[in-house]
Amino acid sequence: MSEAVPPQRELRSHQWYGTDGLRSFSHRARTRQLGYLPEEHLGKPVVAVLNTWSDINPCHSHLRERAQAVKRGVWQAGGFPLEFPVSTLSETFQKPTPMLYRNLLAMETEELLRSYPVDGAVLLGGCDKTTPALLMGATSADVPAVFVPAGPMLPGHWRGETLGSGTDMWKYWDDHRAGLIGDCELGELEAGLARSPGHCMTMGTASTLTAAAEALGVTMPGASSIPAVDSGHERMAAAAGLRIVGLIREGRTLADILTREAFEDAVTTVLGLGGSTNAVIHLIAMAGRAGVPLALDDFDRLARDVPVLANVRPSGGPYLMEDFHFAGGLPGFLSRIPDLLHLDRPTVAHDTLREQLAGALVHHDDVIRPRTKPVAAEGGVAVLRGNLCPDGAVIKHIAAEPRLLRHTGPAVVFDDYRTLQRTINDPALGITPDHVLVLRGSGPRGGPGMPEYGMLPLPDYLLKQGVRDMVRISDARMSGTSYGACVLHVAPESHVGGPLALVRTGDPITLDVPARTLTLGVDPGELERRRVAWTPPPERYERGYGALYAEHITQADTGCDFAFLAKKGNVPDPYAG
């Protein structure tokens, strides 16, 4: 790869700094106001370091220090780094869901990169929605970019057990509801589940999406699994700072990296990791920004040939992300499925993925399984069709009890999550293990933002009887750390009149994962009478960002992007004067 510095006119930032007009004079004067000498920045690639750190986001609490490492790398490569604080989307605290704000961060990323004197960007994120948001925005801005994953936190510990954040939270909360552990044990678990900076160390949404980013080719090799507090994580951040300057000099933007082949490899990776169902929505949205057609059927088609090899919770186990990293990380994992990948496409670090994976090894065959001994024979996510989900639904069937993968039962319907929470333990509902729990009003518009309500709680009295899984159906999403026979992302959602809006308690519902079907056993004539009688619920927001969101959000099967952002169209660079 060439490392020759191009003439100033080839740098986008030259429009701000290098002309003879009043505006360039003003820009240079204001840069002196910031304390920089002319020789520190003039003629050098300007690198935006977009940082999603905040005091309220524990997944990113170390990113201030990592931004300094990125800057160190940029300086060493002859670039000029500028740090930009951008929105932090904290899965742990932001309500009603950070998914509501994914597109807002994507817009902020795109417009910052477009409106400032920026030649390229390093993107610091990792908590669930930050990875797709940053990459969606940078893709639309079409600049050279490298993504720096926040990294997984250290494993949790409690009374001799190793804990996985999220997954064990659900498990022990159900134990508490079943009366198996008390308040003292729960207090100890609060202090043991999450014990360092970094995102969830299970193969939840955060680890799934950062692995997808690495598979796409937009991170440094092996970056996605480095523990957040490992010194290797700081070295990786510095290496990203070094590399972005080379990408700028080569003129290699995300458009060169994010090809159809790259997205197919990312889908293959997610499926082979037994990753989060949330990746379906995010990868479709990211592909849309890159102008790459990607649909639900692509996930199901690829899943048929991809074995699950990552023996990591919640789909596998007992291992966590630190185990995965030291077993070989994503390079080791991908080295086991080279025939399923497009090896001749470029990445930000190498001319080809083949070159990037050269020499990759697996050091622990039970963490990253060989093809002859997979965790599951095919990918961990299935796409369902039927009269209850004409535009599709998904299920992480690898995390469900096998007995429920073919199941027919009567529906118990809840119109919203608050009602479910208030009434789920009411014996008068008569819920049995054979019932199918149905939640509506939780989709992109109805939620709003598709909150992670999809792992519907079971009644306490069933938990006490030892029941830990039931078929559950919703237009919501589910945390990637969750588990169970949960059908998610039902499209169209109930809020816009999808078939889920017509289901009544007692209606028979059949889930058949091997056949990839989800059907409502109600006569079409009766469904039509219900449809005629149905009235749309009122919109939740009358003004502000929520109203903008409701007006422009697309459905789950097309990625939940804003229609005006997902479409093709020219956006001119600003005139810098």
Side-chain angles (χ1 to χ4, degrees):
M1 297 180 182
S2 171
E3 292 293 333
V5 179
Q8 284 189 21
R9 60 182 174 79
E10 294 186 18
L11 289 174
R12 184 175 178 273
S13 58
H14 178 73
Q15 301 173 56
W16 277 260
Y17 285 121
T19 66
D20 295 328
L22 170 64
R23 293 298 179 188
S24 282
F25 167 67
S26 172
H27 298 148
R28 293 191 297 269
R30 292 300 187 176
T31 306
R32 303 299 160 268
Q33 181 186 8
L34 290 168
Y36 293 109
L37 295 166
E39 52 267 36
E40 290 186 88
H41 75 96
L42 287 180
K44 295 183 177 181
V46 178
V47 175
V49 182
L50 269 57
N51 195 349
T52 52
W53 170 90
S54 91
D55 274 332
I56 195 64
N57 193 339
C59 305
H60 295 179
S61 60
H62 59 307
L63 291 187
R64 267 183 163 175
E65 290 76 22
R66 296 301 176 268
Q68 296 306 309
V70 171
K71 291 180 185 179
R72 187 176 80 221
V74 172
W75 284 119
Q76 290 173 351
F80 179 59
L82 295 170
E83 187 175 353
F84 290 73
V86 292
S87 300
T88 191
L89 307 182
S90 173
E91 199 67 38
T92 49
F93 290 105
Q94 194 168 27
K95 306 299 181 188
T97 168
M99 183 63 176
L100 184 67
Y101 302 103
R102 183 200 69 181
N103 297 342
L104 184 62
L105 175 55
M107 291 172 67
E108 182 182 17
T109 298
E110 176 180 352
E111 298 306 326
L112 279 175
L113 296 178
R114 195 186 311 284
S115 59
Y116 280 96
V118 168
D119 299 303
V122 177
L123 315 168
L124 277 66
C127 193
D128 296 13
K129 310 306 174 291
T130 56
T131 299
L134 290 167
L135 288 170
M136 287 163 67
T139 300
S140 292
D142 194 27
V143 296
V146 179
F147 181 72
V148 172
M153 69 178 87
L154 295 176
H157 290 282
W158 177 69
R159 296 189 178 186
E161 294 189 35
T162 300
L163 304 177
S165 61
T167 301
D168 281 310
M169 176 190 75
W170 308 114
K171 175 183 181 295
Y172 284 108
W173 182 252
D174 281 352
D175 281 354
H176 179 65
R177 293 175 60 213
L180 300 177
I181 62 173
D183 291 340
C184 291
E185 289 88 348
L186 209 62
E188 292 175 14
L189 283 161
E190 285 181 10
L193 270 170
R195 48 185 282 264
S196 81
H199 57 66
C200 291
M201 72 304 235
T202 50
M203 191 57 74
T205 303
S207 292
T208 300
L209 265 294
T210 56
E214 183 176 339
L216 285 168
V218 297
T219 75
M220 302 307 293
S224 62
S225 62
I226 304 173
V229 296
D230 193 298
S231 62
H233 195 269
E234 182 166 354
R235 296 193 297 272
M236 176 271 294
L242 283 162
R243 184 67 195 117
I244 187 59
V245 177
L247 289 169
I248 293 169
R249 289 170 173 170
E250 295 158 20
R252 183 179 291 188
T253 71
L254 286 180
D256 301 311
I257 308 298
L258 298 180
T259 61
R260 168 74 183 187
E261 292 77 13
F263 278 101
E264 286 196 352
D265 287 353
V267 172
T268 295
T269 298
V270 166
L271 294 168
L273 292 172
S276 168
T277 50
N278 285 314
V280 178
I281 290 176
H282 296 313
L283 282 171
I284 289 173
M286 292 160 66
R289 294 297 188 95
V292 171
L294 188 68
L296 286 176
D297 289 341
D298 291 309
F299 285 80
D300 203 57
R301 171 179 57 83
L302 292 168
R304 307 285 184 162
D305 298 320
V306 180
V308 178
L309 302 182
N311 194 17
V312 178
R313 289 184 245 177
S315 297
Y319 303 107
L320 297 169
M321 287 304 298
E322 186 173 11
D323 303 304
F324 180 80
H325 176 67
F326 290 110
L330 200 70
F333 170 83
L334 295 178
S335 75
R336 297 217 143 152
I337 54 170
D339 55 308
L340 303 179
L341 303 173
H342 301 86
L343 296 173
D344 295 320
R345 61 180 177 86
T347 70
V348 296
H350 292 91
D351 287 326
T352 65
L353 179 62
R354 186 188 309 276
E355 179 185 344
Q356 182 158 311
L357 296 180
L361 297 171
V362 174
H363 309 294
H364 194 317
D365 281 344
D366 196 42
V367 179
I368 302 174
R369 294 281 187 88
R371 297 273 284 270
T372 55
K373 192 181 178 183
V375 175
E378 64 174 41
V381 175
V383 175
L384 307 174
R385 302 280 182 178
N387 66 346
L388 196 50
C389 54
D391 291 339
V394 301
I395 181 171
K396 190 175 182 178
H397 57 293
I398 191 176
E401 290 189 9
R403 64 181 177 85
L404 295 172
L405 299 183
R406 276 198 174 104
H407 180 81
T408 298
V412 179
V413 180
F414 301 90
D415 286 322
D416 59 77
Y417 195 67
R418 290 185 184 183
T419 301
L420 182 150
Q421 288 179 303
R422 189 176 67 250
T423 62
I424 189 66
N425 293 317
D426 186 352
L429 292 178
I431 298 174
T432 72
D434 291 330
H435 277 90
V436 175
L437 304 181
V438 176
L439 173 66
R440 57 189 174 210
S442 300
R445 285 176 62 178
M450 292 186 79
E452 292 184 337
Y453 295 160
M455 188 181 173
L456 278 61
L458 308 189
D460 285 354
Y461 57 84
L462 290 184
L463 291 172
K464 291 174 181 177
Q465 295 170 22
V467 177
R468 288 304 175 101
D469 200 5
M470 293 174 61
V471 174
R472 289 160 274 183
I473 299 171
S474 72
D475 45 16
R477 296 177 301 109
M478 180 174 83
S479 167
T481 65
S482 302
Y483 50 86
C486 302
V487 177
L488 312 159
H489 311 178
V490 169
E493 65 174 307
S494 60
H495 191 86
V496 299
L500 202 64
L502 310 179
V503 182
R504 294 180 181 174
T505 293
D507 289 346
I509 293 176
T510 298
L511 168 66
D512 190 334
V513 173
R516 299 298 197 263
T517 58
L518 180 69
T519 53
L520 178 65
V522 175
D523 179 75
E526 170 60 19
L527 284 179
E528 183 57 31
R529 286 188 287 274
R530 295 181 189 181
R531 191 182 310 279
V532 171
W534 179 80
T535 56
E539 293 296 344
R540 296 184 179 272
Y541 291 93
E542 295 183 354
R543 59 164 302 282
Y545 175 74
L548 175 75
Y549 179 95
E551 183 176 351
H552 296 285
I553 196 67
T554 63
Q555 287 292 297
D557 60 302
T558 54
C560 293
D561 201 357
F562 288 159
F564 67 87
L565 294 175
K567 71 178 185 179
K568 295 180 179 179
N570 180 54
V571 180
D573 248 2
Y575 175 60

